[in-house]
Amino acid sequence: METKVSSASKEVIIGGERPTVLIGERINPSGKKKLGEALKAGNLDIVRQEAKAQTEAGADILDVNVNIFGADEVDLLPKVVKAVMDTVDIPLCLDSANPEALEAAIKVYKGKPLINSVTGEEQSLAKVLPVIKKHGAAVVGLVQDDEGIPPTPERRLAVANKIVKRAEKMGIPREDIVIDCLSLAVGAETTSGTTALGTIRLIKQKLGVNMTLAVSNFSFGLPDRELLNNAFVAACIAAGVTCVIVDVKKVRPAVLAADLILAHDKYARRYVENFRQRQQQAEK
Amino acid sequence: METKVSSASKEVIIGGERPTVLIGERINPSGKKKLGEALKAGNLDIVRQEAKAQTEAGADILDVNVNIFGADEVDLLPKVVKAVMDTVDIPLCLDSANPEALEAAIKVYKGKPLINSVTGEEQSLAKVLPVIKKHGAAVVGLVQDDEGIPPTPERRLAVANKIVKRAEKMGIPREDIVIDCLSLAVGAETTSGTTALGTIRLIKQKLGVNMTLAVSNFSFGLPDRELLNNAFVAACIAAGVTCVIVDVKKVRPAVLAADLILAHDKYARRYVENFRQRQQQAEK
């Protein structure tokens, strides 16, 4: 299964036995006070810096989220998307829970974006899927519905299936849906890892769609988060996740290790190249 | 499935949804010139130091291998096993391709050892399994036979099945067999990781026995081996491996991360404790 997204000049393909696609998570004010304040003030310097830094660090796609209390996303998201498009040439993942903001951003976007996200909630399905269909975008589907985030892989599969079926019924092809299997903080919820891995395996087997995961939340509240995130990302990619939403600079080495393990990096070329780059940076 | 091994005073149980069991690999002269020379000279100081260091680093079991060109394993292995038993109180994994050396070591061993290894080769099955049966030991079964190491998960499963069936026919219970799924250097063999992971999943599903893996060889010849080994060990444990043969000090943090991911570390107690220990050591 191949999910294609694009910018004005570049196409990125998720899945199809290719290396894991890296979606940079850092243009997101959640937990980033400085970025949040800059965005509210209409200052997009940090956004441009982050876009550049993540792309240089090896991001394939950049997630763009401007969800700040008190800001008008419908106005802000397109502006930030434009600033990122002016800075880098890789595809974007337009990230908002507000369908109007998503549509406003899609309208200024050049290419085929990934939209983050639709959920299994009736209101979300009803409002987001028509936007996806209308603009021919790809979409991230979160495995949560009107009752919340299901606690078992079987029930998360059911939500994923609902999203896929509803989308297909509207004429959105299955390959344009990327399911986010959701990883909760394992420090708070002991079964977070087993539920995520079980969901990934079930969805791979039953639906065959591409899958993503925002890894960093998994280690929330625990020490040595990099070690835990690296182990988790390797296990998830080995189980079937085909793109990850991460801090690219931090997590890319572990993703390249996982790609090498999965025979998606012939002659270890990307792995070794990344090692050399890190060595050169360390020497500077 | 629970595999029980013991020393004179301690029992270790592999499997049964318990944390991954760590088998220390460092009492092995392969690639360790100094240890090899000391062993040949009958000097067991390094062996005692390694036994102590690995146990302090969190090893549950120690592998003891004295395979050196020109040394008499039948004489040497029991001596080294005695020295290790005098130094630490955890169970041992007696490691030799020589059935006579294995039996000589079992005779001096106090407790129920893990024997490393039997293979699917006719000669190995015929010579090693009777020793296992006679002494009531547990045994590591390598997935290779008279034709070598099979290149596919299906054929590795067939070898594992042959070992299990032959052992059961002789009255060795299935829970006393731990299958080593074999990991070849991925730098030389692109499909090494996928074959190992595929084998692990198949054996878990079809045979349900405990499984082990000697991780370090996987990264042979590549840079940043720790990163790659950590990712591989996490993926293998998530796929079903229940004990690992590793450099415990280096790999234990990643194994604890994998155990936390698999809900085998309630409240992240072991993960956090290990982090604190590493911090204290770093401060020294």
Side-chain angles (χ1 to χ4, degrees), chain A residues 11-25:
Chain A
E11 184 179 65
V12 167
I13 303 178
I14 301 164
E17 296 300 316
R18 280 179 186 75
T20 307
V21 166
L22 291 153
I23 304 174
E25 72 177 9

Side-chain angles (χ1 to χ4, degrees), chain A residues 53-66:
Chain A
Q54 292 185 94
T55 306
E56 284 172 0
D60 300 299
I61 297 172
L62 294 182
D63 189 89
V64 180
N65 178 308
V66 296

Side-chain angles (χ1 to χ4, degrees), chain A residues 186 190 193-194 197 201 218 222-224 227-228 231-232 234-235 238 253-254 257 260-263 268 271-272 275 278, chain B residues 186 190 193-194 197 201 218 222-224 227-228 231-232 234-235 238 253-254 257 260-263 268 271-272 275 278:
Chain A
V186 71
T190 302
T194 47
L197 289 169
R201 289 192 193 110
F218 184 74
L222 288 167
D224 207 348
L227 174 73
L228 186 54
F232 188 54
L260 177 53
I261 291 166
L262 294 182
Y271 182 81
V272 173
F275 171 75
R278 282 185 286 134
Chain B
V186 72
T190 303
T194 48
L197 289 169
R201 290 193 192 109
F218 184 74
L222 288 168
D224 207 347
L227 174 73
L228 187 53
F232 187 55
L260 177 54
I261 291 166
L262 293 182
Y271 181 82
V272 173
F275 171 75
R278 282 185 287 134

Side-chain angles (χ1 to χ4, degrees), chain B residues 4 20-21 34 37 40 64 74 105 143 146 163 173 212 215 251:
Chain B
K4 293 177 183 175
T20 307
V21 166
K34 217 172 135 189
E37 281 168 3
K40 269 209 226 180
V64 180
V74 182
V143 288
D146 293 287
I163 295 171
T212 187
V215 171
V251 184

Side-chain angles (χ1 to χ4, degrees), chain B residues 61-81:
Chain B
I61 296 172
L62 294 182
D63 189 88
V64 180
N65 179 308
V66 297
N67 180 25
I68 320 153
F69 182 75
D72 176 11
E73 278 194 70
V74 182
D75 176 62
L76 190 55
L77 190 57
K79 281 181 189 159
V80 175
V81 164

